[in-house]
């Protein structure tokens, strides 16, 4: 509570409870959780609007001698939908599986990056994607200690935002 205030965040009791749960999960994954980790967690969740689809699980298979594949399971309301897709690498396969499940309108991936947002071997990775539809660019962000999961969350965040724009007839 005090640390959040010192970092400049004013959250409702509900938001604090939600972030505390995510903080505990992060504590289980990392030896030391820094202020940078806390800020990244909160900033990522503030940017990650509640979308239509949520990640349930994923499994990737990648090797230098075969085509990569990914199985993704997403939740839409109470329904869980699972698809498998191939790709030029594990990220491409994951993004292809998400596209199959969400049935998003035709779009292109303009940019994709992953970077560390904290220090150490157990650093948080942030995935950022830029998706283009028509003349619009949509940014998606994801955060995890697993860079493949961060990438999947970023793409899913972008696709959810794309679907939200489509529903509002903004594209």
């Amino acid at each position: 509570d005090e640390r959040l205030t010192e970092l400049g965040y004013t959250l409702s009791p509900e938001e604090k409870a939600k972030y505390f749960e995510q903080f505990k999960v992060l504590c289980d994954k990392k030896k030391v959780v820094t202020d940078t980790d806390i800020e990244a967690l909160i900033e990522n969740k503030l940017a990650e609007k509640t979308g239509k689809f949520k990640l349930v699980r994923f499994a990737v298979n990648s090797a230098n001698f075969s085509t990569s594949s990914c199985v993704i399971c997403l939740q839409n309301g109470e329904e869980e939908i699972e698809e498998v897709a191939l790709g030029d690498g594990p990220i491409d396969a994951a993004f292809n599986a998400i596209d199959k499940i969400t049935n998003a309108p035709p779009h292109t991936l303009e940019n994709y990056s992953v970077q560390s947002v904290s220090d150490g071997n157990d650093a948080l990775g942030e995935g950022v994607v830029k998706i283009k539809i028509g003349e619009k660019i949509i940014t998606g962000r994801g955060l995890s200690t697993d860079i493949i999961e961060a990438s999947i969350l970023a793409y899913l965040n972008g696709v959810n935002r794309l679907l939200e724009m489509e529903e509002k007839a903004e594209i």
Side-chain angles (χ1 to χ4, degrees), residues 15 23-24 33 36-37 46 58-59 80 88 101 125 131 133:
E15 289 172 319
F23 175 76
K24 288 192 311 189
V33 177
T36 305
D37 292 323
L46 291 175
F58 69 94
E80 287 189 3
D88 291 330
I101 294 171
I131 298 170
I133 183 161

Side-chain angles (χ1 to χ4, degrees), residues 125-161:
E126 180 184 43
V128 178
V129 298
K130 299 218 181 267
I131 298 170
K132 185 173 184 180
I133 183 161
E135 295 303 311
K136 294 192 184 233
I137 300 283
I138 298 163
T139 301
R141 296 181 182 279
L143 192 69
S144 176
T145 54
D146 178 326
I147 60 169
I148 292 178
E149 182 177 30
S151 302
I152 290 169
L153 291 170
Y155 192 72
L156 185 57
N157 177 242
V159 168
N160 273 327
R161 294 181 69 210

Side-chain angles (χ1 to χ4, degrees), residues 43-150:
E43 290 298 323
N44 183 69
K45 291 300 175 188
L46 291 175
E48 181 190 277
K49 304 265 192 255
T50 303
K52 182 176 182 178
F53 292 94
K54 306 244 183 295
L55 178 65
V56 176
R57 64 185 169 272
F58 69 94
V60 294
N61 183 29
S62 186
N64 65 351
F65 57 86
S66 66
T67 302
S68 294
S69 64
C70 182
V71 177
I72 294 260
C73 182
L74 300 180
Q75 185 173 8
N76 181 7
E78 296 298 314
E79 180 184 18
E80 287 189 3
I81 308 156
E82 190 171 273
E83 279 289 347
V84 64
L86 302 175
D88 291 330
I91 301 302
D92 184 46
F95 291 1
N96 289 340
I98 290 170
D99 286 342
K100 284 171 80 172
I101 294 171
T102 61
N103 199 28
H107 57 278
T108 57
L109 180 63
E110 290 294 299
N111 194 312
Y112 159 69
S113 65
V114 178
Q115 65 183 20
S116 171
V117 294
S118 60
D119 298 323
N121 291 348
D122 54 1
L124 279 171
E126 180 184 43
V128 178
V129 298
K130 299 218 181 267
I131 298 170
K132 185 173 184 180
I133 183 161
E135 295 303 311
K136 294 192 184 233
I137 300 283
I138 298 163
T139 301
R141 296 181 182 279
L143 192 69
S144 176
T145 54
D146 178 326
I147 60 169
I148 292 178
E149 182 177 30

